[in-house]
Amino acid sequence: MTLFARIPKVDRILEWDGIKALLGLHPRPTVLNAVRTVLDSIRSSARSGLFREEELHESSITARIESEVARATAFSLRRVVNGTGVVIHTNLGRSPLSKLVKPLLDEIAFGYSNLEFDLEKGERGSRYSHVEQLLCELTGAEAALVVNNNAAAVLLALSALAAGKEVIVSRGELVEIGGSFRIPDVMSQGGAILREVGTTNRTHPRDYRQAITPETALLLKVHSSNFAVIGFTAEVAATELVAIGREHSVPVMADIGSGCLLDLSRFGIRGEPTVQEFVQAGIDIITFSGDKLLGGPQAGIIVGRKECVAPLKRHPLLRALRIDKLTLASLEGTLRLYRDERQALAEIPTLRMLTASADELAARARSIARRVRRASPPAIRLTLTNGISQVGGGAYPLLELATTLMAVEADGISSQEIEIRLRGMEVPVTGRIHKGRFLLDVRTLLDDDIPFIAAALRSLAD
Ligand SMILES: *Cc1c(COP(=O)(O)O)cnc(C)c1O
């Protein structure tokens, strides 16, 4: 009998006990697809000449079908352990929310709410009202509005304030943020005409002054976010730009990217002005993200002077960019924590991770390592070493935060293989490879990640 003739047929496989059990748990087409996928792979292995006799055993085929069904029925969007040390990791969902947001999020998600219902007047209300007061209170601004993300906030502001008119931007601030957000492109989408001034490294007040014409609708300042120009540089500070705007009655807008509401300089995190500082400087309209340094959900937050925010509230684009109720609930929950600075620092994971001291992280690493080692076989080694973590999310590109790393080594397995196997876990564990070692940074590990790390490391010995 040829090898191909010995590969069991679909009908026979469906009679096996293990497969019958799967059919009791999953729809028939799901199991059939898995059977066919596994048979295809056995056939191609047979053709390749690398075939092993065990591949025809009922137990081996059953196990492969089981794992294929598991793969096919797993959620696509899943929890991941972030061991990369990048706190605001856009690919891993940026900021984990505070657990204190959970009760409100639960109530709003699974029931009806006063999303657009004014409970006092008994008539239609505005979804934006739920956070406007809070944002004004926290930032000192006169008015506020929230949309889907900061890219949407910039687009809306340009569309509402500058369509068909000119917007002046420094050449040093024509940035591209990851995921194809480019200031010149957003400008043309918003129907505004870009007027570049200055040079890449130096822009002066006179550059703005000379470019202002009756066609100028806005002076725009953009946070450089993910890069730094160092050396012979000059930029026009927010207060100076406001003075120039006032001289010519042109409003000034700032896309500040991260939106930090607390001064983090006492934790060694310097150079990012707070939203409040921009408000105090007199900037007319300020936009920032909800899920970067703020530590909340994906959102675009707009604060500023009433007369500048009003046209955004009336603009038809707002309907297309509107924020949903789950985001609003988690945003209100997060913002409320900022009423008490200590609570914000302790309860918002992004802030807690960023402000954790080197000593605190070293102690945490020792405690995690103890727990994980207890569960790991001797072939798996975990060693602690000093290292550096990054803020991420386009904030503080040059800042290096001292941290403790856990290096994972396993007998007979390369660091690349470790990376692949940990990434393939049901709860994937991500880290980075540096100088031939697979590393997990304790800064970005959450307490309830530890069992998943232990399980992942244990599985390396299988
Ligand atoms: C991150 C960033 C954006 C984009 O914000 P999203 O919330 O991701 O849409 C825009 N501008 C600046 C300066 C940024 O740093």
Side-chain angles (χ1 to χ4, degrees), residues 209-362:
R209 283 202 180 90
Q210 283 163 6
I212 293 176
T213 71
E215 287 309 301
T216 308
L218 270 181
L219 306 182
L220 173 63
K221 192 162 181 57
V222 184
H223 190 279
S224 59
S225 292
N226 46 10
F227 72 102
V229 182
I230 50 175
F232 186 54
T233 65
E235 68 169 315
V236 178
T239 45
E240 267 179 293
L241 204 56
V242 168
I244 299 168
R246 297 279 188 275
E247 278 167 33
H248 298 86
S249 304
V250 176
V252 180
M253 167 172 161
D255 167 13
I256 62 173
S258 260
C260 189
L261 289 176
L262 294 180
D263 178 6
L264 301 175
S265 56
R266 78 198 117 114
F267 302 99
I269 303 174
R270 286 190 192 83
E272 188 94 2
T274 60
V275 179
Q276 296 88 315
E277 285 172 70
F278 282 97
V279 172
Q280 272 154 27
I283 301 275
D284 300 286
I285 195 135
I286 301 164
T287 74
F288 54 98
S289 295
D291 54 356
K292 290 183 178 172
L293 283 174
L294 193 81
Q298 177 189 306
I301 301 174
I302 301 157
V303 299
R305 292 218 344 271
K306 239 189 186 106
E307 61 181 272
C308 288
V309 178
L312 277 64
K313 290 182 176 173
R314 290 192 301 265
H315 197 277
L317 198 51
L318 178 61
R319 176 62 179 80
L321 307 175
R322 83 177 182 189
I323 191 164
D324 95 301
K325 62 182 179 181
L326 301 188
T327 309
L328 261 177
S330 43
L331 184 61
E332 182 179 359
T334 307
L335 288 171
R336 271 170 178 268
L337 300 174
Y338 278 94
R339 282 183 164 156
D340 175 350
E341 186 174 315
R342 273 197 328 244
Q343 192 181 33
L345 288 169
E347 301 292 347
I348 296 175
T350 297
L351 292 179
R352 197 171 57 221
M353 288 175 187
L354 284 173
T355 58
S357 71
D359 289 345
E360 201 177 326
L361 292 168

Side-chain angles (χ1 to χ4, degrees), residues 161-180:
L161 301 174
K165 307 259 279 178
E166 293 185 357
V167 177
I168 302 178
V169 190
S170 159
R171 288 200 169 85
E173 297 175 2
L174 291 174
V175 301
E176 172 177 318
I177 314 289
S180 70

Side-chain angles (χ1 to χ4, degrees), residues 10-11 14 23 27-37 69:
V10 174
D11 288 346
L14 292 177
L23 282 166
R28 192 175 171 86
T30 307
V31 178
L32 268 176
N33 274 336
V35 171
R36 294 202 177 104
T37 304
V69 167

Side-chain angles (χ1 to χ4, degrees), residues 55-230:
E55 289 187 55
L56 290 183
H57 294 174
E58 178 174 333
S59 60
S60 152
I61 296 176
T62 302
R64 286 175 69 177
I65 292 170
E66 280 167 354
S67 68
E68 179 56 28
V69 167
R71 198 196 55 77
T73 54
F75 283 106
S76 170
L77 184 58
R78 279 184 287 162
R79 172 199 185 128
V80 165
V81 172
N82 178 9
T84 64
V86 180
V87 178
I88 305 168
H89 198 307
T90 299
N91 299 153
L92 300 184
R94 290 202 181 150
S95 288
L97 294 177
S98 167
K99 289 264 164 72
L100 296 185
V101 164
K102 219 172 180 174
L104 180 63
L105 189 52
D106 255 8
E107 278 199 6
I108 302 308
F110 300 104
Y112 293 105
S113 61
N114 62 338
L115 180 66
E116 289 190 350
F117 184 55
D118 186 325
L119 292 172
E120 267 168 40
K121 298 190 184 133
E123 57 190 41
R124 194 199 158 113
S126 155
R127 68 178 60 215
Y128 306 105
S129 67
H130 304 291
V131 288
E132 181 166 18
Q133 275 305 313
L134 194 49
L135 281 166
C136 292
E137 172 194 321
L138 294 171
T139 63
E142 286 174 14
L145 185 63
V146 285
V147 289
N148 255 324
N149 54 24
N150 188 26
V154 175
L155 177 64
L156 177 63
L158 292 173
S159 306
L161 301 174
K165 307 259 279 178
E166 293 185 357
V167 177
I168 302 178
V169 190
S170 159
R171 288 200 169 85
E173 297 175 2
L174 291 174
V175 301
E176 172 177 318
I177 314 289
S180 70
F181 175 89
R182 299 172 122 200
I183 288 295
D185 298 345
V186 179
M187 196 80 80
S188 59
Q189 277 301 316
I193 300 149
L194 172 63
R195 285 279 286 122
E196 306 174 23
V197 295
T199 61
T200 306
N201 57 329
R202 288 172 75 81
T203 300
H204 306 283
R206 63 172 182 276
D207 295 324
Y208 288 95
R209 283 202 180 90
Q210 283 163 6
I212 293 176
T213 71
E215 287 309 301
T216 308
L218 270 181
L219 306 182
L220 173 63
K221 192 162 181 57
V222 184
H223 190 279
S224 59
S225 292
N226 46 10
F227 72 102
V229 182
I230 50 175

Side-chain angles (χ1 to χ4, degrees), residues 446-460:
L446 299 164
D447 286 338
D448 44 15
D449 286 338
I450 316 305
F452 297 111
I453 296 170
L457 298 197
R458 210 177 318 128
S459 82
L460 289 176

Side-chain angles (χ1 to χ4, degrees), residues 421-441:
R421 297 210 2 209
L422 296 189
R423 180 155 47 84
M425 295 294 295
E426 206 166 298
V427 174
V429 175
T430 63
R432 60 189 142 106
I433 295 174
H434 184 66
K435 295 192 174 154
R437 287 200 300 178
F438 180 81
L439 305 168
L440 293 171
D441 188 331

